[in-house]
Amino acid sequence: ADGLVIAVDGPAASGKGTLARRLAAHYGLPYLDTGLLYRMVARTMLDAGKALDDAQAATASAAGFDDAAIDESRLRGREIGEAASVVAAIPAVRRALIDRQRRFAAAGEGAVLDGRDIGTVICPEATVKLFVTATPEVRAARRHKELAGRGEAATLDGILADIRRRDARDSGRGDAPLKAAEDAVQLDTSALGVEEAFQAALAIVEDRR
Ligand code: C5P
């Protein structure tokens, strides 16, 4: 696309989704939460009673679902995030999802995408790349609050363990691991509120565009 393409990557519960959504609203750009695609594959596998390491079934599901079928309310749970990171480590699943992400980025006058590999693999030519981080403890506290808001009870320790396991899996996989692109700007949101983080992100985008 000729317009402004903003890639927002980072680990689970880093605040990248909130930031990406606000940036998209600010610039009037379409927004894609690419984690939902992997969550959708995981949901389909669990619903069909398939083992998460069944690469063939996971790939068929990644290639087959309709974007219109994505129902965010069924994809936000704790179990689905974990399952998504398992199917996301399967290279053929990632391959099956590349085109729809790239098409989204190129379809209009710019776009905002968030995920793990947007700056490195999906949109290496993005105008601006943000790599959003926060300490595992801060991320666990945020996720705890979010899950409580959804009525999903979980202990802080349990969530922290989830986050560490997910970080290790997402960073350690061979295909498109979670890592900052060389030309990404790092934004540590550990000590920032939502508004402060947004202002910091906006300053980076304005500086780079
Ligand atoms: O961002 P979210 O927590 O919804 O993503 C769920 C999982 O999907 C991540 O833990 C990661 O394994 C995978 N994912 C990915 N690449 C992306 C987005 C998400 O591998 N671009």
Side-chain angles (χ1 to χ4, degrees), residues 77-158:
R78 188 180 173 192
E79 182 199 17
I80 296 295
E82 175 69 19
S85 85
V86 176
V87 298
I90 303 171
V93 167
R94 306 199 66 83
R95 234 177 290 127
L97 293 173
I98 285 180
D99 280 353
R100 62 173 95 198
Q101 296 174 78
R102 289 195 177 145
R103 257 186 273 119
F104 185 92
E109 297 297 304
V112 181
L113 289 84
D114 82 35
R116 302 292 185 291
D117 63 341
I118 308 303
T120 51
V121 174
I122 304 298
C123 301
E125 308 294 334
T127 324
V128 188
K129 300 176 185 178
L130 287 167
F131 194 80
V132 183
T133 60
T135 64
E137 289 76 13
V138 165
R139 291 188 279 135
R142 288 178 186 159
R143 183 48 57 85
H144 186 252
K145 207 169 147 193
E146 181 197 327
L147 289 174
R150 295 170 38 92
E152 203 175 329
T155 67
L156 197 53
D157 280 353

Side-chain angles (χ1 to χ4, degrees), residues 14-99:
S14 57
K16 65 184 186 311
T18 305
L19 265 183
R21 202 165 286 167
R22 290 209 46 186
L23 287 169
H26 179 84
Y27 289 109
L29 295 172
Y31 163 60
L32 180 64
D33 172 353
T34 66
L36 287 180
L37 305 178
Y38 296 91
R39 287 170 181 265
M40 185 70 185
V41 175
R43 176 85 261 170
T44 308
M45 298 288 283
L46 294 173
D47 286 351
K50 302 277 187 193
L52 292 173
D53 62 357
D54 180 340
Q56 215 172 343
T59 307
S61 133
F65 72 82
D66 195 328
D67 290 351
I70 295 178
D71 172 5
E72 203 176 329
S73 66
R74 289 190 71 230
L75 300 175
R76 281 288 163 218
R78 188 180 173 192
E79 182 199 17
I80 296 295
E82 175 69 19
S85 85
V86 176
V87 298
I90 303 171
V93 167
R94 306 199 66 83
R95 234 177 290 127
L97 293 173
I98 285 180
D99 280 353

